[in-house]
Amino acid sequence: MATDLSNGTSDEFSSVIPTIKFTKLFINGEFVDSISGKTFETIAPRNGEVIAKIAEGDKEDIDLAVKSAREAFDYGPWPRMSGAARGRLMLKWAELIEQNIDELAALDTMDAGKLFTRGKAIDIPHAASMLRYYAGAADKIHGDVLKMSRELHGYTLHEPIGVVGHIIPWNFPSTMFFMKVAPALAAGCTMLIKPAEQTPLSALFYAHLSKLAGIPDGVINVVTGFGATAGAAISSHMDIDKVSFTGSTEVGHKVMMAAATSNLKQISLELGGKSPLLIFDDADVDKAADLALLAILYNKAKICVAGSRVYVQEGIYDEVVKKLIEKAQNWVVADPFDPKSQLGPQVDKKQYEKILGYIEQGKKEGATLLTGGKPSGTKGYFLQPTIFADVKEDMTIVKEEIFGPVMSLMKFKTIEEGIERANKTKYGLAAGIVTKNIDVANTVSRSIRAGIIWVNCYFAFDNDAPYGGYKMSGFGRDFGSESLHKYLQVKSVVTPLYNSPWL
């Protein structure tokens, strides 16, 4: 089985575990207790121990945060600054993030079970890079001069949409925070952020750094709490102009209904996925197996675009199966602070048990368990890399998003069959293609109904490349200029022309 390094001990990595500094709500530039005075515990998935007690915000606290953001938008300097001035403060925030990279990476490791080494190398630097990317865009928000059909002069203005409510998930606490906050800031919006209840720590630290960077009070507000209370209050609030939500399709339905029955606020949804990876006969077997495992095991499969459905063309199917088993059993499952670890713990006990339930369901429905399928270690929420074969399209593990390290492995014959089966899902977030044939790559990438297609790579995200879903994976795009535009309103201004020699 996958290497088990006993998952560490609660104090083995104490030298890199920081003291928790911020546990209260951040509203109007200050850390405050919740109105109710209630708190909740945030739990370390690496060992099941309590990290800290966090202020539990609910509807009344959301009301305060919205009031703060509304006043900052209607009367404050942020939307009225030049884009260049906003960009300078965003750049300062990015510098502060880099100065605190060790502590921020450690917070996400403690709270979410993310690998500490990858947090330092990827997640936290990416948070800073997103701020810099959109800081550079803040002074490049332009409308158009319109060529009217009669004696009129017209132009468009791109104006900030207003107060934005961001609801972010627990799988990428830092990345998701800035994927939403950075473009909204560049656009001139004010906002409140509700981090997932499982992972509040880094969001509160980022709020502290925003204050140090000089972001005006009320522009950034962070309310920690639960989806059913704080999240629902954001979705239905009459004074929020837009909600940006990343999470499950089930909750996405609720967010959309709340927006429709309240003030018809705009929403963008990045929801679930059941992404296919198609490996064709001409692929390098060794590289294809590595890519397939990366696609399902990266970040413990806590990623909506995880390549959970792997289709292998029949000519190399047996070879790929052999390689996958061999390589999966060599993945190191260990404490996320351990530099040798490749696979950390699931985020909490509920998710851990849910994944084990899916594994049992897969066996019950007749899929063949090739490797894994069991807990790893003696404490914490660790699971072995798991691969199923002999999987049918109507099985639960193929149809439903597991959000865990469970691969469903299937065989196909023709390109047409591969395309048809890849599209046989209610989701449409991402897909991968492994082939040396450019014609196959072009045909398949244009035929799969998903928001992003990776050819001979996976998780190839970039600040310039828009990312979002088709079908029940949601709508709206993160990254790129599309993300900036979703926080802007377009206004047309028209005046008459008199005695002009031309239109």
Side-chain angles (χ1 to χ4, degrees), residues 159-309:
E159 299 180 342
I161 199 167
V163 175
V164 181
H166 300 295
I167 304 174
I168 63 175
W170 40 258
N171 55 336
F172 283 87
S174 292
T175 301
M176 291 292 178
F177 187 99
F178 287 100
M179 186 186 292
K180 298 182 183 302
V181 167
L185 279 178
C189 297
T190 61
M191 64 209 70
L192 59 153
I193 304 102
K194 193 204 85 66
E197 56 266 29
Q198 296 90 339
T199 54
L201 296 178
S202 61
L204 294 171
F205 201 104
Y206 288 126
H208 161 68
L209 295 181
S210 75
K211 175 91 170 180
L212 296 183
I215 306 292
D217 291 348
V219 175
I220 298 288
N221 301 274
V222 177
V223 178
T224 51
F226 293 87
T229 50
I234 291 171
S235 302
S236 61
H237 205 286
M238 294 297 291
D239 210 19
I240 290 178
D241 300 299
K242 180 183 176 67
V243 169
S244 177
F245 171 78
T246 296
S248 70
T249 299
E250 177 188 7
V251 177
H253 280 290
K254 296 178 181 179
V255 171
M256 195 167 183
M257 287 190 289
T261 56
S262 56
N263 61 342
L264 287 176
K265 61 178 66 66
Q266 291 191 28
I267 61 171
S268 55
L269 303 173
E270 194 259 278
L271 307 176
K274 197 67 183 175
S275 301
L277 175 66
L278 280 73
I279 301 173
F280 289 88
D281 278 344
D282 64 340
D284 179 293
V285 170
D286 196 62
K287 291 180 180 178
D290 282 336
L291 200 61
L293 286 173
L294 175 71
I296 189 58
L297 298 182
Y298 182 76
N299 199 50
K300 310 163 289 182
K302 294 290 174 280
I303 182 166
C304 300
V305 294
S308 54
R309 297 185 294 137

Side-chain angles (χ1 to χ4, degrees), residues 452-473:
I452 190 165
I453 311 292
W454 291 302
V455 181
N456 296 325
C457 58
Y458 213 86
F459 301 132
F461 291 109
D462 188 86
N463 289 336
D464 270 315
Y467 161 67
Y470 283 30
K471 300 187 280 186
M472 292 185 75
S473 288

Side-chain angles (χ1 to χ4, degrees), residues 109-138:
T109 299
M110 295 168 66
D111 229 6
K114 295 181 68 67
L115 300 184
F116 180 62
T117 53
R118 286 186 185 166
K120 285 184 62 176
I122 299 174
D123 292 53
I124 311 306
H126 188 206
S129 81
M130 282 186 280
L131 274 172
R132 291 194 173 103
Y133 180 89
Y134 288 105

Side-chain angles (χ1 to χ4, degrees), residues 374-389:
K374 297 179 181 178
S376 178
T378 56
K379 61 182 175 181
Y381 309 126
F382 296 83
L383 293 171
Q384 297 172 346
T386 300
I387 302 175
F388 279 105

